[in-house]
Amino acid sequence: MPLDAGFGSNAHEGACRRNRWKGWLGGLLQRTRMAYGELGRYLREIVDDRQVTGDMPRNLKRDKRGVFSSFVAALGTKQDNARLTLDEVFGNMSVCLLAGHEASWSHIPIHISQLLTYLTRQDEGPQPYSVLSLMAPEPEEQERLCALISETFEDHFRPDRILAVLYETLHLFAGVLLIPKTSVNDQYFMINSAFSKEDMANPAVKDKKDQQKRLLVHSGSHIQISVVGLDYNARYWQGPCTFDLDRFLTSDWPKDAFLPFSSGPRACIDRKFAEAEVVLAMTLIIRYFRGYRGLGPGGKLWHILIPEGLRQMFQYRYLWSLKHASHEQMGWDVFSNVGWLVPERYFHIADPFIVSQICASRTLFTKPTYDIMDLYGPNVLSTDGDVWLRHRKISNPAFSETMIQLAWEQTFRVTYDMFDDWDQQGDKVMLNRTEEPMKTLTILILMGAAFGHVEDWTPETTHAAGHKMSLRDSVQTLLNYFIIYSALPAWVWGSAQTRMAMRVGGIGGRGWLGGLLQRTGVAYGELGRYLREMVDDRQIAGDTVGNLKRDKRDVFSSLVAALGSEQDNARLTLDDVFGNMFVFLLAGHETTAHSLTFVLGLMALEPEEQERLCTHINEVLGERNPTFEDHTRLDLVLAVFYETLRLFPSAPLIPKISVKDQYFMVNSALSQEDMANPAVKDRKDKQKRLFVPSGSHVQISVVGLHYNPRYWKDPYTFNPDRFLTSDWPKDAFLPFSSGSRACIGRKFAEVEAVLAITLIIRRFKVAVDSTRFQEVTGESKFDRRTRLMNATSKITLTPDGVPLVLTRR
């Protein structure tokens, strides 16, 4: 293909830059096209330099003995069949680069890991440690290994231990899984029966199954040489799935069953190059750098290739399902793995002392930014560094004590509106999906406290003039489906002119999906217009930070009062205001609604705790309505809320990134059984030094912390009393994160939840709807709770269903 072709002709390059290279994929395509053209130009220039100096095969100096110089020296014309054309030089160089680069870089980390981790422990015998985990090494094994490494380059030709590691790694992790061929003529072969390793271990079975047959291979047949099949063939390799260096240290190892470089005249031309490269790289790395061993054992090749915790990098539900058990399996309160699709290090931490250090330093451990949250603009969640600091500093006053009081007032009003709606059902309220009314409850509270926009429980049938959707509908629709809007490319929602002028979706509403997409697009545009109108109203009123009245102490008014120009770094831009309002709505709506659902479900499953809570509420309030000052006296209500958040944290993990190399002391992971047995606890209670390299992903496992039996007695048991003492482990409780990046709306959520729980439990007795949730004989409390909540981790931990019956007291 000509160098000026690439992904489009030069005539279209300007248009591509203006229109096509948008978004992550567009940028990647643009960069790839640019790299293609640049590499071609570099190659052309190097060829010219070599030709100017008159390089020929026999007069090349040592500093010109590179592969490319050799190719250039063999250049000729297209009519000269004994020479190479320019295209052939370029083509061969690209293939050499591709084959030599990918094969070596993908295997060197595995080679080194084998050297570091597949060593014999004298107290346990051969024990493979997870290749994908990093931890401080055993010094004596490092020294023993280092002593085996030769200092001279020529020693790579000896089948010593280093080369054996390379070969054994290629045996276990073949760079190419098969080699394709095509049969030109009809062929006959004698084929052997296949043996398993169990067959090979039993001579009687082996002799019985050992057979041969004649195979006809027709002309034109595709013949696939299964390299991985040869590598794991038990007939030729003893214990083929086991890492065993010694198999390559003998002279009679099965060379014909080892094809990482192919064989025959089409064998890899640069085999010696690759061997020398990898062996010397491993030699120097191991000789001059100390390796770090795995935190915990992994027993099978499958766990080395694809670690058990792989799924948690794509969705949080893996961590939620295992809770602290993943750490108990690995043996430490910190374990690590390397990404399967993306080769990056991940450390999963359920140690509160390490978590405290991480959360205390915003500079040493940064938070990944979430571009998906920039739906309306930058915000306190999606930014980091100085930009985040500006957002946080300006947003903090919006959650002042006065605004928290407003949240109390709105919660009281909306909850009683909900009760009026429920009273239409009589003395019993049937909630098929409890999370739905809880979502409506929190939406209306947020609209009142965040926007200063008061709406009744019963939705309006009309919307404001000039709008296609009411404010409530646009907020609720967008919060429910914003992930769809963020995930799909911009062209789905209409032309750029339409989006700028109308801020609505431009797609058709055909079918269920089409209608959903259209409704989500309209909701996005409508909410943007409502926000713009509310900004105009507040600016016309002349609202500033210093003159806001009590009735304007909602979050939105505080942010609008802090509006400034883009050049004023101490103020917020209009996009900043919109972006922060959307994030406050998203975070405050779903998390609190789900937590209230979990609270009511737990109260239904724990009737004694429910009655104790009701008694406590009546003792504090008597016959009167609760006031804002009561929220500090309703300590058992807050304890129930905290215990619910411990059992069902909204976010199972908090991601961070290590900016510098770090060292931590890590505790071994203890189970409930270990904690109950002092002798076992003392034997297993250990510490190790953990090295966290710069650039590592540090995942604070909130669910691992909350279910860690070292800090929480009987962590799977619902026990609010644990929060009524003064010495409960605050560092092991992270539903709102911690440190400078802790949730800005924590007080808002606590006040809202305490009042809502108080009013609901005081008025209703909560029970499970037995018509929709059947009893299971012999089911444990934990299993019943799991089945009722049916919690899965999506954006946040989400209950599904929770059918309840509320009976008027």
Side-chain angles (χ1 to χ4, degrees), residues 352-353 646 705-706 708 710-713 722-723 725-734:
F353 302 106
R646 186 189 69 81
L705 276 174
H706 287 188
N708 193 332
R710 184 187 284 271
Y711 309 102
W712 304 99
K713 184 179 180 181
R722 66 175 94 238
F723 290 98
T725 62
S726 58
D727 59 346
W728 61 272
K730 298 176 178 62
D731 290 335
F733 182 66
L734 246 66

Side-chain angles (χ1 to χ4, degrees), residues 130-162:
S130 174
V131 172
L132 302 179
S133 300
L134 300 176
M135 184 59 178
E138 299 288 343
E140 63 275 10
E141 293 180 358
Q142 281 286 300
E143 296 306 317
R144 184 164 71 94
L145 175 63
C146 192
L148 295 171
I149 297 177
S150 173
E151 296 183 3
T152 59
F153 174 81
E154 287 76 13
D155 282 341
H156 82 276
F157 293 108
R158 277 193 310 113
D160 59 8
R161 201 172 187 84
I162 303 298

Side-chain angles (χ1 to χ4, degrees), residues 25 33 67 78 80 101 150 240 542 559 570 577 614 620 674 754 790 797:
L25 180 59
R33 180 188 187 281
V67 178
K78 291 184 178 181
D80 188 353
H101 158 65
S150 173
L559 293 179
V577 172
C614 186
V620 172
D674 296 337
V754 164
N790 195 21
L797 192 63

Side-chain angles (χ1 to χ4, degrees), residues 625-781:
N625 286 327
T627 62
F628 179 71
E629 290 71 23
D630 289 322
H631 80 273
T632 57
R633 301 172 59 204
L634 294 164
D635 52 358
L636 183 57
V637 182
L638 184 61
V640 167
F641 183 54
Y642 277 3
E643 179 67 347
T644 302
L645 291 176
R646 186 189 69 81
L647 292 172
F648 299 95
S650 297
L653 66 82
I654 300 170
K656 301 279 186 179
I657 296 176
S658 174
V659 176
K660 297 181 179 179
D661 291 350
Q662 305 286 335
Y663 287 91
F664 295 109
M665 293 305 296
V666 182
N667 289 313
S668 54
L670 300 176
S671 65
Q672 291 188 68
E673 294 74 16
D674 296 337
M675 294 297 295
N677 189 327
V680 175
K681 177 181 179 296
D682 292 341
R683 178 170 60 85
K684 289 188 174 183
D685 198 359
K686 301 176 182 178
Q687 280 192 328
K688 279 193 176 182
R689 196 165 183 239
L690 169 70
F691 173 64
V692 178
S694 172
S696 299
H697 293 265
V698 179
Q699 313 273 37
I700 298 174
S701 176
V702 177
V703 68
L705 276 174
H706 287 188
Y707 284 84
N708 193 332
R710 184 187 284 271
Y711 309 102
W712 304 99
K713 184 179 180 181
D714 298 327
Y716 290 85
T717 303
F718 178 76
N719 179 20
D721 289 342
R722 66 175 94 238
F723 290 98
L724 296 178
T725 62
S726 58
D727 59 346
W728 61 272
K730 298 176 178 62
D731 290 335
F733 182 66
L734 246 66
F736 301 100
S737 189
S738 182
S740 59
R741 296 296 301 242
C743 176
I744 194 173
R746 173 172 184 167
K747 192 67 176 177
F748 185 110
E750 289 179 354
V751 165
E752 177 187 18
V754 164
L755 182 55
I757 294 167
T758 297
L759 296 177
I760 293 172
I761 297 300
R762 187 187 190 189
R763 188 182 184 94
F764 295 99
K765 183 175 182 179
V766 185
V768 176
D769 186 351
S770 58
T771 63
R772 290 181 171 82
F773 186 78
Q774 305 297 324
E775 292 281 349
V776 175
T777 306
E779 189 177 35
S780 67
K781 265 190 172 184

Side-chain angles (χ1 to χ4, degrees), residues 159-169 243 245-246 248-249:
D160 59 8
R161 201 172 187 84
I162 303 298
L163 189 58
V165 170
L166 167 60
Y167 281 0
E168 179 64 353
T169 305
F243 184 86
L245 298 178
D246 294 334
F248 288 99
L249 296 177

Side-chain angles (χ1 to χ4, degrees), residues 264-303:
R266 296 299 298 256
C268 177
I269 194 172
D270 62 348
R271 173 173 181 166
K272 285 296 183 183
F273 184 106
E275 290 179 354
E277 174 189 24
V278 174
V279 168
L280 183 58
M282 289 193 298
T283 299
L284 296 176
I285 291 171
I286 298 302
R287 186 181 182 196
Y288 295 110
F289 292 91
R290 187 173 291 272
Y292 294 89
R293 297 193 56 177
L295 278 173
K300 300 179 181 178
L301 187 64
W302 177 256
H303 290 100

